[in-house]
Amino acid sequence: MNQQWNVGLVLFDDVEVLDFAGPFEVLSVTTYPDQNPDTTALKPFQVRTVSEHGTMITARNGLKVIPDFSFSNAPHFDIVIVPGGLGARKRELHNPHMIKWIQDRMQAVDFMTSVCTGALLLAEAGLLDGKRATTHWASYDWLADQYPAVEVVRDVKYVADGSIVSSGGISAGIHMAFYLVQQLLGVEVARTTAKVMEYDIQFKPSSAT
């Protein structure tokens, strides 16, 4: 039987749009082999959005999005994606409800992931202590200075350290999402998804980076 992973994309005001839209697209268009992407057949990933209150958020540059769930009524997620952006750096980093939700969800996920400065939220939650991680290039020093227990990896698209996967800035989240597809479904499914998206990416054997 084909498996399905429930994916929770975290949203908040001033979230960077491509941070969440990129992984959303990759995972949403992924299909099982020989399955028509336009059918209603079971897809590997059911992607849903979640915010603290479940009310409409305003992403960077004015894009308005209505999340599917709030923190209080969100279902189980196998994969959580924490994006970044101005809202992550200026507000959510200091939001105890956000940090606690991330900590709690870490107990039940297969993968906890971040895009861009979403890594700062994972670090604030203590999830990156003793682990390798990356973030947007402009925040390498911030991550290293504020969270010395984190081994910051620079100049890579993503870093996988156990069940935690962090990616660089903005478009790098697409690469991170393709990594998840490859890990869970194999390189051929990942290649097919990239072809559907007309996205140029070179897949490599599974590794830490």
Side-chain angles (χ1 to χ4, degrees):
M1 177 181 292
N2 290 335
Q3 183 174 352
Q4 186 176 64
W5 290 270
N6 291 319
V7 182
L9 262 171
V10 182
L11 299 180
F12 43 83
D13 286 334
D14 287 319
V15 62
E16 190 69 46
V17 173
L18 195 57
D19 277 16
F20 71 86
F24 180 94
E25 184 73 9
V26 173
L27 299 177
S28 295
V29 304
T30 298
T31 61
Y32 283 104
D34 303 319
Q35 179 179 309
N36 186 331
D38 295 324
T39 68
T40 58
L42 181 71
K43 290 188 175 184
F45 303 102
Q46 182 180 59
V47 188
R48 297 292 183 264
T49 52
V50 56
S51 70
E52 181 177 352
H53 301 293
T55 53
M56 184 174 66
I57 63 97
T58 302
R60 291 285 283 160
N61 301 307
L63 179 68
K64 299 186 187 309
V65 183
I66 300 176
D68 296 304
F69 301 105
S70 68
F71 285 176
S72 63
N73 67 11
H76 166 78
F77 294 125
D78 304 295
I79 300 169
V80 167
I81 300 174
V82 181
L86 183 63
R89 303 190 301 275
K90 297 295 186 180
R91 184 174 47 258
E92 300 307 324
L93 189 58
H94 312 290
N95 179 357
H97 302 290
M98 173 66 74
I99 302 306
K100 179 66 161 54
W101 189 85
I102 292 171
Q103 291 171 332
D104 290 345
R105 288 292 168 147
M106 183 63 198
Q107 307 306 312
V109 296
D110 296 329
F111 288 99
M112 175 66 71
T113 75
S114 66
V115 182
C116 196
T117 50
L120 298 173
L121 304 185
L122 300 193
E124 182 66 20
L127 304 188
L128 300 184
D129 289 355
K131 293 187 176 292
R132 302 165 69 248
T134 195
T135 186
H136 190 285
W137 61 265
S139 294
Y140 289 155
D141 290 343
W142 186 355
L143 182 60
D145 293 344
Q146 295 298 312
Y147 305 97
V150 181
E151 180 183 345
V152 180
V153 183
R154 302 168 187 246
D155 302 318
V156 295
K157 293 294 187 183
Y158 63 86
V159 173
D161 191 330
S163 61
I164 294 181
V165 189
S166 55
S167 79
I170 310 176
S171 64
I174 297 174
H175 289 252
M176 183 271 292
F178 273 116
Y179 167 81
L180 294 175
V181 174
Q182 182 178 355
Q183 289 296 111
L184 295 171
L185 297 165
V187 67
E188 290 307 316
V189 172
R191 287 192 179 118
T192 298
T193 302
K195 184 176 182 180
V196 170
M197 292 178 60
E198 295 199 69
Y199 191 78
D200 293 329
I201 182 172
Q202 296 296 317
F203 293 100
K204 56 185 178 181
S206 298
S207 61
T209 58

